[in-house]
Amino acid sequence: QVQLVESGGGSAQPGGSLRLSCAASGSILSIYIMGWYRQAPGKERELVAYINPAGTTNYADSVKGRFTISADGPKKTVHLQMNSLKPEDTAVYYCNADVLTPRRREDYWGQGTQVTVSS
């Protein structure tokens, strides 16, 4: 019913930048919150940042001051601008959305996009 498609992943050098995007589609009545999680090899999945329709944002301490999350409500799209990248940012990044559909409120996940930061 709802799909989240991520794009923008890839490789960058330390100190570089990448911009991730996530577009939601399907039978969406409203979106309560959208955010990004990441999972590094051998690590648990962790919250990176989220944003609500009012524009309220929250960030993991590890990315504060370096990452910026934003949203385009009409396009049902969320972006994650990642600056000053560090090797420890290497992970698969997953888009997450809390969505109201015609049948119920549900939590959806994207397929994940790889981000690799290395020299």
PDB file of all heavy atoms in Angstrom, residues 62-99:
ATOM      1  N   SER A  62      25.580  11.904  17.568  1.00  0.00           N
ATOM      2  CA  SER A  62      26.730  11.660  16.717  1.00  0.00           C
ATOM      3  C   SER A  62      26.695  12.432  15.399  1.00  0.00           C
ATOM      4  O   SER A  62      27.730  12.564  14.738  1.00  0.00           O
ATOM      5  CB  SER A  62      26.864  10.162  16.422  1.00  0.00           C
ATOM      6  OG  SER A  62      25.709   9.669  15.769  1.00  0.00           O
ATOM      7  N   VAL A  63      25.521  12.941  15.003  1.00  0.00           N
ATOM      8  CA  VAL A  63      25.414  13.641  13.727  1.00  0.00           C
ATOM      9  C   VAL A  63      25.009  15.103  13.882  1.00  0.00           C
ATOM     10  O   VAL A  63      24.963  15.828  12.876  1.00  0.00           O
ATOM     11  CB  VAL A  63      24.425  12.938  12.769  1.00  0.00           C
ATOM     12  CG1 VAL A  63      24.796  11.475  12.606  1.00  0.00           C
ATOM     13  CG2 VAL A  63      22.988  13.090  13.250  1.00  0.00           C
ATOM     14  N   LYS A  64      24.743  15.550  15.082  1.00  0.00           N
ATOM     15  CA  LYS A  64      24.346  16.940  15.295  1.00  0.00           C
ATOM     16  C   LYS A  64      25.417  17.892  14.778  1.00  0.00           C
ATOM     17  O   LYS A  64      26.601  17.706  15.028  1.00  0.00           O
ATOM     18  CB  LYS A  64      24.088  17.201  16.776  1.00  0.00           C
ATOM     19  CG  LYS A  64      22.794  16.618  17.288  1.00  0.00           C
ATOM     20  CD  LYS A  64      22.588  16.934  18.766  1.00  0.00           C
ATOM     21  CE  LYS A  64      21.284  16.367  19.271  1.00  0.00           C
ATOM     22  NZ  LYS A  64      21.100  16.607  20.731  1.00  0.00           N
ATOM     23  N   GLY A  65      24.969  18.912  14.063  1.00  0.00           N
ATOM     24  CA  GLY A  65      25.883  19.884  13.497  1.00  0.00           C
ATOM     25  C   GLY A  65      26.454  19.487  12.162  1.00  0.00           C
ATOM     26  O   GLY A  65      27.080  20.316  11.488  1.00  0.00           O
ATOM     27  N   ARG A  66      26.267  18.243  11.758  1.00  0.00           N
ATOM     28  CA  ARG A  66      26.794  17.762  10.486  1.00  0.00           C
ATOM     29  C   ARG A  66      25.690  17.362   9.506  1.00  0.00           C
ATOM     30  O   ARG A  66      25.829  17.574   8.301  1.00  0.00           O
ATOM     31  CB  ARG A  66      27.716  16.559  10.706  1.00  0.00           C
ATOM     32  CG  ARG A  66      28.910  16.863  11.602  1.00  0.00           C
ATOM     33  CD  ARG A  66      29.902  15.702  11.618  1.00  0.00           C
ATOM     34  NE  ARG A  66      29.312  14.485  12.169  1.00  0.00           N
ATOM     35  CZ  ARG A  66      29.185  13.340  11.487  1.00  0.00           C
ATOM     36  NH1 ARG A  66      29.615  13.260  10.238  1.00  0.00           N
ATOM     37  NH2 ARG A  66      28.651  12.275  12.072  1.00  0.00           N
ATOM     38  N   PHE A  67      24.622  16.772  10.017  1.00  0.00           N
ATOM     39  CA  PHE A  67      23.517  16.320   9.177  1.00  0.00           C
ATOM     40  C   PHE A  67      22.321  17.243   9.340  1.00  0.00           C
ATOM     41  O   PHE A  67      22.073  17.774  10.428  1.00  0.00           O
ATOM     42  CB  PHE A  67      23.085  14.903   9.563  1.00  0.00           C
ATOM     43  CG  PHE A  67      24.078  13.820   9.241  1.00  0.00           C
ATOM     44  CD1 PHE A  67      25.372  14.100   8.831  1.00  0.00           C
ATOM     45  CD2 PHE A  67      23.690  12.490   9.357  1.00  0.00           C
ATOM     46  CE1 PHE A  67      26.277  13.096   8.544  1.00  0.00           C
ATOM     47  CE2 PHE A  67      24.588  11.475   9.073  1.00  0.00           C
ATOM     48  CZ  PHE A  67      25.873  11.763   8.666  1.00  0.00           C
ATOM     49  N   THR A  68      21.555  17.400   8.269  1.00  0.00           N
ATOM     50  CA  THR A  68      20.333  18.188   8.302  1.00  0.00           C
ATOM     51  C   THR A  68      19.221  17.419   7.608  1.00  0.00           C
ATOM     52  O   THR A  68      19.376  17.003   6.465  1.00  0.00           O
ATOM     53  CB  THR A  68      20.516  19.545   7.611  1.00  0.00           C
ATOM     54  OG1 THR A  68      21.573  20.275   8.239  1.00  0.00           O
ATOM     55  CG2 THR A  68      19.225  20.360   7.700  1.00  0.00           C
ATOM     56  N   ILE A  69      18.108  17.242   8.302  1.00  0.00           N
ATOM     57  CA  ILE A  69      16.962  16.581   7.711  1.00  0.00           C
ATOM     58  C   ILE A  69      15.942  17.639   7.298  1.00  0.00           C
ATOM     59  O   ILE A  69      15.747  18.633   7.994  1.00  0.00           O
ATOM     60  CB  ILE A  69      16.338  15.547   8.675  1.00  0.00           C
ATOM     61  CG1 ILE A  69      15.295  14.690   7.957  1.00  0.00           C
ATOM     62  CG2 ILE A  69      15.756  16.209   9.911  1.00  0.00           C
ATOM     63  CD1 ILE A  69      14.844  13.473   8.752  1.00  0.00           C
ATOM     64  N   SER A  70      15.307  17.430   6.159  1.00  0.00           N
ATOM     65  CA  SER A  70      14.292  18.346   5.669  1.00  0.00           C
ATOM     66  C   SER A  70      13.220  17.557   4.935  1.00  0.00           C
ATOM     67  O   SER A  70      13.427  16.398   4.592  1.00  0.00           O
ATOM     68  CB  SER A  70      14.908  19.406   4.746  1.00  0.00           C
ATOM     69  OG  SER A  70      15.513  18.810   3.615  1.00  0.00           O
ATOM     70  N   ALA A  71      12.090  18.192   4.683  1.00  0.00           N
ATOM     71  CA  ALA A  71      10.985  17.500   4.046  1.00  0.00           C
ATOM     72  C   ALA A  71      10.266  18.389   3.053  1.00  0.00           C
ATOM     73  O   ALA A  71      10.189  19.606   3.224  1.00  0.00           O
ATOM     74  CB  ALA A  71       9.990  17.001   5.092  1.00  0.00           C
ATOM     75  N   ASP A  72       9.756  17.769   2.010  1.00  0.00           N
ATOM     76  CA  ASP A  72       8.898  18.407   1.035  1.00  0.00           C
ATOM     77  C   ASP A  72       7.539  17.742   1.181  1.00  0.00           C
ATOM     78  O   ASP A  72       7.318  16.639   0.684  1.00  0.00           O
ATOM     79  CB  ASP A  72       9.454  18.223  -0.377  1.00  0.00           C
ATOM     80  CG  ASP A  72       8.636  18.941  -1.434  1.00  0.00           C
ATOM     81  OD1 ASP A  72       7.424  19.161  -1.227  1.00  0.00           O
ATOM     82  OD2 ASP A  72       9.208  19.277  -2.490  1.00  0.00           O
ATOM     83  N   GLY A  73       6.634  18.391   1.894  1.00  0.00           N
ATOM     84  CA  GLY A  73       5.341  17.796   2.192  1.00  0.00           C
ATOM     85  C   GLY A  73       4.533  17.418   0.970  1.00  0.00           C
ATOM     86  O   GLY A  73       4.042  16.287   0.871  1.00  0.00           O
ATOM     87  N   PRO A  74       4.345  18.341   0.012  1.00  0.00           N
ATOM     88  CA  PRO A  74       3.555  17.991  -1.180  1.00  0.00           C
ATOM     89  C   PRO A  74       4.121  16.808  -1.956  1.00  0.00           C
ATOM     90  O   PRO A  74       3.353  16.040  -2.543  1.00  0.00           O
ATOM     91  CB  PRO A  74       3.608  19.280  -2.010  1.00  0.00           C
ATOM     92  CG  PRO A  74       3.764  20.365  -0.992  1.00  0.00           C
ATOM     93  CD  PRO A  74       4.670  19.776   0.056  1.00  0.00           C
ATOM     94  N   LYS A  75       5.424  16.659  -1.982  1.00  0.00           N
ATOM     95  CA  LYS A  75       6.042  15.547  -2.695  1.00  0.00           C
ATOM     96  C   LYS A  75       6.234  14.319  -1.818  1.00  0.00           C
ATOM     97  O   LYS A  75       6.721  13.292  -2.293  1.00  0.00           O
ATOM     98  CB  LYS A  75       7.388  15.977  -3.276  1.00  0.00           C
ATOM     99  CG  LYS A  75       7.273  17.002  -4.395  1.00  0.00           C
ATOM    100  CD  LYS A  75       8.629  17.280  -5.010  1.00  0.00           C
ATOM    101  CE  LYS A  75       8.517  18.268  -6.157  1.00  0.00           C
ATOM    102  NZ  LYS A  75       7.702  17.722  -7.272  1.00  0.00           N
ATOM    103  N   LYS A  76       5.863  14.425  -0.544  1.00  0.00           N
ATOM    104  CA  LYS A  76       6.006  13.318   0.402  1.00  0.00           C
ATOM    105  C   LYS A  76       7.427  12.773   0.374  1.00  0.00           C
ATOM    106  O   LYS A  76       7.649  11.560   0.281  1.00  0.00           O
ATOM    107  CB  LYS A  76       4.980  12.224   0.112  1.00  0.00           C
ATOM    108  CG  LYS A  76       3.532  12.683   0.243  1.00  0.00           C
ATOM    109  CD  LYS A  76       2.558  11.560  -0.042  1.00  0.00           C
ATOM    110  CE  LYS A  76       1.125  12.001   0.155  1.00  0.00           C
ATOM    111  NZ  LYS A  76       0.719  13.064  -0.781  1.00  0.00           N
ATOM    112  N   THR A  77       8.362  13.673   0.460  1.00  0.00           N
ATOM    113  CA  THR A  77       9.770  13.331   0.352  1.00  0.00           C
ATOM    114  C   THR A  77      10.552  13.926   1.512  1.00  0.00           C
ATOM    115  O   THR A  77      10.289  15.056   1.938  1.00  0.00           O
ATOM    116  CB  THR A  77      10.353  13.848  -0.977  1.00  0.00           C
ATOM    117  OG1 THR A  77       9.658  13.237  -2.071  1.00  0.00           O
ATOM    118  CG2 THR A  77      11.832  13.524  -1.088  1.00  0.00           C
ATOM    119  N   VAL A  78      11.495  13.164   2.011  1.00  0.00           N
ATOM    120  CA  VAL A  78      12.377  13.633   3.063  1.00  0.00           C
ATOM    121  C   VAL A  78      13.816  13.518   2.571  1.00  0.00           C
ATOM    122  O   VAL A  78      14.153  12.600   1.819  1.00  0.00           O
ATOM    123  CB  VAL A  78      12.157  12.838   4.373  1.00  0.00           C
ATOM    124  CG1 VAL A  78      12.551  11.378   4.211  1.00  0.00           C
ATOM    125  CG2 VAL A  78      12.920  13.481   5.527  1.00  0.00           C
ATOM    126  N   HIS A  79      14.646  14.468   2.982  1.00  0.00           N
ATOM    127  CA  HIS A  79      16.044  14.495   2.580  1.00  0.00           C
ATOM    128  C   HIS A  79      16.935  14.492   3.811  1.00  0.00           C
ATOM    129  O   HIS A  79      16.561  14.993   4.869  1.00  0.00           O
ATOM    130  CB  HIS A  79      16.354  15.737   1.748  1.00  0.00           C
ATOM    131  CG  HIS A  79      15.464  15.917   0.567  1.00  0.00           C
ATOM    132  ND1 HIS A  79      15.622  15.198  -0.596  1.00  0.00           N
ATOM    133  CD2 HIS A  79      14.384  16.731   0.374  1.00  0.00           C
ATOM    134  CE1 HIS A  79      14.694  15.567  -1.466  1.00  0.00           C
ATOM    135  NE2 HIS A  79      13.931  16.490  -0.902  1.00  0.00           N
ATOM    136  N   LEU A  80      18.108  13.942   3.637  1.00  0.00           N
ATOM    137  CA  LEU A  80      19.125  13.993   4.674  1.00  0.00           C
ATOM    138  C   LEU A  80      20.414  14.502   4.051  1.00  0.00           C
ATOM    139  O   LEU A  80      21.069  13.781   3.292  1.00  0.00           O
ATOM    140  CB  LEU A  80      19.345  12.614   5.307  1.00  0.00           C
ATOM    141  CG  LEU A  80      20.308  12.581   6.494  1.00  0.00           C
ATOM    142  CD1 LEU A  80      19.715  13.322   7.690  1.00  0.00           C
ATOM    143  CD2 LEU A  80      20.664  11.152   6.872  1.00  0.00           C
ATOM    144  N   GLN A  81      20.752  15.742   4.355  1.00  0.00           N
ATOM    145  CA  GLN A  81      22.004  16.324   3.897  1.00  0.00           C
ATOM    146  C   GLN A  81      23.089  15.960   4.893  1.00  0.00           C
ATOM    147  O   GLN A  81      22.996  16.315   6.071  1.00  0.00           O
ATOM    148  CB  GLN A  81      21.886  17.843   3.778  1.00  0.00           C
ATOM    149  CG  GLN A  81      23.161  18.534   3.321  1.00  0.00           C
ATOM    150  CD  GLN A  81      23.547  18.184   1.902  1.00  0.00           C
ATOM    151  OE1 GLN A  81      22.699  18.165   1.018  1.00  0.00           O
ATOM    152  NE2 GLN A  81      24.820  17.890   1.687  1.00  0.00           N
ATOM    153  N   MET A  82      24.101  15.260   4.430  1.00  0.00           N
ATOM    154  CA  MET A  82      25.162  14.778   5.289  1.00  0.00           C
ATOM    155  C   MET A  82      26.457  15.479   4.912  1.00  0.00           C
ATOM    156  O   MET A  82      26.995  15.272   3.823  1.00  0.00           O
ATOM    157  CB  MET A  82      25.316  13.264   5.166  1.00  0.00           C
ATOM    158  CG  MET A  82      24.030  12.493   5.457  1.00  0.00           C
ATOM    159  SD  MET A  82      24.262  10.697   5.458  1.00  0.00           S
ATOM    160  CE  MET A  82      24.671  10.441   3.732  1.00  0.00           C
ATOM    161  N   ASN A  83      26.948  16.306   5.803  1.00  0.00           N
ATOM    162  CA  ASN A  83      28.194  17.033   5.603  1.00  0.00           C
ATOM    163  C   ASN A  83      29.240  16.568   6.600  1.00  0.00           C
ATOM    164  O   ASN A  83      28.928  15.925   7.597  1.00  0.00           O
ATOM    165  CB  ASN A  83      27.966  18.538   5.759  1.00  0.00           C
ATOM    166  CG  ASN A  83      27.007  19.105   4.745  1.00  0.00           C
ATOM    167  OD1 ASN A  83      26.952  18.659   3.604  1.00  0.00           O
ATOM    168  ND2 ASN A  83      26.242  20.115   5.158  1.00  0.00           N
ATOM    169  N   SER A  84      30.477  16.929   6.321  1.00  0.00           N
ATOM    170  CA  SER A  84      31.589  16.565   7.204  1.00  0.00           C
ATOM    171  C   SER A  84      31.559  15.089   7.554  1.00  0.00           C
ATOM    172  O   SER A  84      31.681  14.695   8.717  1.00  0.00           O
ATOM    173  CB  SER A  84      31.549  17.420   8.480  1.00  0.00           C
ATOM    174  OG  SER A  84      31.609  18.797   8.174  1.00  0.00           O
ATOM    175  N   LEU A  85      31.412  14.275   6.538  1.00  0.00           N
ATOM    176  CA  LEU A  85      31.264  12.843   6.750  1.00  0.00           C
ATOM    177  C   LEU A  85      32.508  12.234   7.387  1.00  0.00           C
ATOM    178  O   LEU A  85      33.633  12.652   7.112  1.00  0.00           O
ATOM    179  CB  LEU A  85      30.961  12.144   5.432  1.00  0.00           C
ATOM    180  CG  LEU A  85      29.521  12.314   4.925  1.00  0.00           C
ATOM    181  CD1 LEU A  85      29.420  11.930   3.459  1.00  0.00           C
ATOM    182  CD2 LEU A  85      28.564  11.478   5.772  1.00  0.00           C
ATOM    183  N   LYS A  86      32.263  11.254   8.224  1.00  0.00           N
ATOM    184  CA  LYS A  86      33.306  10.524   8.917  1.00  0.00           C
ATOM    185  C   LYS A  86      33.220   9.045   8.562  1.00  0.00           C
ATOM    186  O   LYS A  86      32.149   8.559   8.216  1.00  0.00           O
ATOM    187  CB  LYS A  86      33.153  10.682  10.435  1.00  0.00           C
ATOM    188  CG  LYS A  86      33.163  12.109  10.932  1.00  0.00           C
ATOM    189  CD  LYS A  86      32.897  12.144  12.432  1.00  0.00           C
ATOM    190  CE  LYS A  86      32.903  13.559  12.960  1.00  0.00           C
ATOM    191  NZ  LYS A  86      32.637  13.601  14.425  1.00  0.00           N
ATOM    192  N   PRO A  87      34.323   8.319   8.661  1.00  0.00           N
ATOM    193  CA  PRO A  87      34.266   6.877   8.380  1.00  0.00           C
ATOM    194  C   PRO A  87      33.212   6.156   9.217  1.00  0.00           C
ATOM    195  O   PRO A  87      32.604   5.201   8.728  1.00  0.00           O
ATOM    196  CB  PRO A  87      35.678   6.401   8.733  1.00  0.00           C
ATOM    197  CG  PRO A  87      36.543   7.591   8.454  1.00  0.00           C
ATOM    198  CD  PRO A  87      35.713   8.772   8.890  1.00  0.00           C
ATOM    199  N   GLU A  88      32.981   6.606  10.433  1.00  0.00           N
ATOM    200  CA  GLU A  88      31.991   5.962  11.284  1.00  0.00           C
ATOM    201  C   GLU A  88      30.560   6.198  10.830  1.00  0.00           C
ATOM    202  O   GLU A  88      29.633   5.606  11.381  1.00  0.00           O
ATOM    203  CB  GLU A  88      32.155   6.389  12.750  1.00  0.00           C
ATOM    204  CG  GLU A  88      32.255   7.889  12.942  1.00  0.00           C
ATOM    205  CD  GLU A  88      33.690   8.374  13.061  1.00  0.00           C
ATOM    206  OE1 GLU A  88      34.526   7.973  12.227  1.00  0.00           O
ATOM    207  OE2 GLU A  88      33.981   9.157  13.995  1.00  0.00           O
ATOM    208  N   ASP A  89      30.361   7.057   9.826  1.00  0.00           N
ATOM    209  CA  ASP A  89      29.043   7.224   9.226  1.00  0.00           C
ATOM    210  C   ASP A  89      28.719   6.112   8.232  1.00  0.00           C
ATOM    211  O   ASP A  89      27.583   6.034   7.752  1.00  0.00           O
ATOM    212  CB  ASP A  89      28.935   8.577   8.516  1.00  0.00           C
ATOM    213  CG  ASP A  89      29.026   9.749   9.471  1.00  0.00           C
ATOM    214  OD1 ASP A  89      28.445   9.677  10.568  1.00  0.00           O
ATOM    215  OD2 ASP A  89      29.680  10.759   9.110  1.00  0.00           O
ATOM    216  N   THR A  90      29.697   5.288   7.914  1.00  0.00           N
ATOM    217  CA  THR A  90      29.484   4.193   6.981  1.00  0.00           C
ATOM    218  C   THR A  90      28.421   3.238   7.516  1.00  0.00           C
ATOM    219  O   THR A  90      28.532   2.721   8.629  1.00  0.00           O
ATOM    220  CB  THR A  90      30.787   3.429   6.734  1.00  0.00           C
ATOM    221  OG1 THR A  90      31.732   4.300   6.099  1.00  0.00           O
ATOM    222  CG2 THR A  90      30.550   2.222   5.832  1.00  0.00           C
ATOM    223  N   ALA A  91      27.389   3.008   6.729  1.00  0.00           N
ATOM    224  CA  ALA A  91      26.274   2.161   7.140  1.00  0.00           C
ATOM    225  C   ALA A  91      25.280   2.068   5.999  1.00  0.00           C
ATOM    226  O   ALA A  91      25.378   2.790   5.005  1.00  0.00           O
ATOM    227  CB  ALA A  91      25.585   2.738   8.385  1.00  0.00           C
ATOM    228  N   VAL A  92      24.317   1.181   6.160  1.00  0.00           N
ATOM    229  CA  VAL A  92      23.142   1.198   5.312  1.00  0.00           C
ATOM    230  C   VAL A  92      22.129   2.121   5.972  1.00  0.00           C
ATOM    231  O   VAL A  92      21.813   1.956   7.156  1.00  0.00           O
ATOM    232  CB  VAL A  92      22.543  -0.203   5.115  1.00  0.00           C
ATOM    233  CG1 VAL A  92      21.264  -0.128   4.280  1.00  0.00           C
ATOM    234  CG2 VAL A  92      23.557  -1.118   4.434  1.00  0.00           C
ATOM    235  N   TYR A  93      21.642   3.083   5.222  1.00  0.00           N
ATOM    236  CA  TYR A  93      20.694   4.052   5.739  1.00  0.00           C
ATOM    237  C   TYR A  93      19.287   3.691   5.274  1.00  0.00           C
ATOM    238  O   TYR A  93      19.053   3.452   4.092  1.00  0.00           O
ATOM    239  CB  TYR A  93      21.060   5.462   5.268  1.00  0.00           C
ATOM    240  CG  TYR A  93      22.232   6.046   6.008  1.00  0.00           C
ATOM    241  CD1 TYR A  93      23.511   5.526   5.835  1.00  0.00           C
ATOM    242  CD2 TYR A  93      22.067   7.102   6.900  1.00  0.00           C
ATOM    243  CE1 TYR A  93      24.588   6.037   6.531  1.00  0.00           C
ATOM    244  CE2 TYR A  93      23.143   7.627   7.594  1.00  0.00           C
ATOM    245  CZ  TYR A  93      24.398   7.090   7.408  1.00  0.00           C
ATOM    246  OH  TYR A  93      25.470   7.604   8.097  1.00  0.00           O
ATOM    247  N   TYR A  94      18.357   3.670   6.219  1.00  0.00           N
ATOM    248  CA  TYR A  94      16.986   3.276   5.953  1.00  0.00           C
ATOM    249  C   TYR A  94      16.033   4.429   6.232  1.00  0.00           C
ATOM    250  O   TYR A  94      16.094   5.046   7.292  1.00  0.00           O
ATOM    251  CB  TYR A  94      16.574   2.097   6.826  1.00  0.00           C
ATOM    252  CG  TYR A  94      17.346   0.822   6.570  1.00  0.00           C
ATOM    253  CD1 TYR A  94      18.515   0.545   7.270  1.00  0.00           C
ATOM    254  CD2 TYR A  94      16.893  -0.100   5.627  1.00  0.00           C
ATOM    255  CE1 TYR A  94      19.221  -0.623   7.042  1.00  0.00           C
ATOM    256  CE2 TYR A  94      17.596  -1.272   5.399  1.00  0.00           C
ATOM    257  CZ  TYR A  94      18.756  -1.526   6.113  1.00  0.00           C
ATOM    258  OH  TYR A  94      19.449  -2.689   5.892  1.00  0.00           O
ATOM    259  N   CYS A  95      15.159   4.685   5.294  1.00  0.00           N
ATOM    260  CA  CYS A  95      14.096   5.649   5.498  1.00  0.00           C
ATOM    261  C   CYS A  95      12.954   4.991   6.265  1.00  0.00           C
ATOM    262  O   CYS A  95      12.624   3.823   6.024  1.00  0.00           O
ATOM    263  CB  CYS A  95      13.599   6.156   4.147  1.00  0.00           C
ATOM    264  SG  CYS A  95      12.291   7.389   4.234  1.00  0.00           S
ATOM    265  N   ASN A  96      12.367   5.733   7.168  1.00  0.00           N
ATOM    266  CA  ASN A  96      11.252   5.237   7.966  1.00  0.00           C
ATOM    267  C   ASN A  96      10.145   6.278   7.983  1.00  0.00           C
ATOM    268  O   ASN A  96      10.415   7.477   8.066  1.00  0.00           O
ATOM    269  CB  ASN A  96      11.719   4.932   9.389  1.00  0.00           C
ATOM    270  CG  ASN A  96      10.587   4.546  10.312  1.00  0.00           C
ATOM    271  OD1 ASN A  96      10.112   5.358  11.105  1.00  0.00           O
ATOM    272  ND2 ASN A  96      10.148   3.297  10.208  1.00  0.00           N
ATOM    273  N   ALA A  97       8.903   5.820   7.902  1.00  0.00           N
ATOM    274  CA  ALA A  97       7.776   6.741   7.924  1.00  0.00           C
ATOM    275  C   ALA A  97       6.617   6.174   8.717  1.00  0.00           C
ATOM    276  O   ALA A  97       6.270   4.994   8.566  1.00  0.00           O
ATOM    277  CB  ALA A  97       7.313   7.070   6.506  1.00  0.00           C
ATOM    278  N   ASP A  98       6.046   7.003   9.555  1.00  0.00           N
ATOM    279  CA  ASP A  98       4.830   6.690  10.295  1.00  0.00           C
ATOM    280  C   ASP A  98       3.693   7.326   9.503  1.00  0.00           C
ATOM    281  O   ASP A  98       3.591   8.550   9.446  1.00  0.00           O
ATOM    282  CB  ASP A  98       4.934   7.257  11.707  1.00  0.00           C
ATOM    283  CG  ASP A  98       3.770   6.888  12.597  1.00  0.00           C
ATOM    284  OD1 ASP A  98       2.872   6.142  12.158  1.00  0.00           O
ATOM    285  OD2 ASP A  98       3.764   7.342  13.755  1.00  0.00           O
ATOM    286  N   VAL A  99       2.856   6.482   8.906  1.00  0.00           N
ATOM    287  CA  VAL A  99       1.919   6.933   7.878  1.00  0.00           C
ATOM    288  C   VAL A  99       0.485   6.531   8.208  1.00  0.00           C
ATOM    289  O   VAL A  99       0.235   5.423   8.685  1.00  0.00           O
ATOM    290  CB  VAL A  99       2.308   6.346   6.505  1.00  0.00           C
ATOM    291  CG1 VAL A  99       1.273   6.680   5.453  1.00  0.00           C
ATOM    292  CG2 VAL A  99       3.668   6.865   6.078  1.00  0.00           C
TER     293      VAL A  99
END
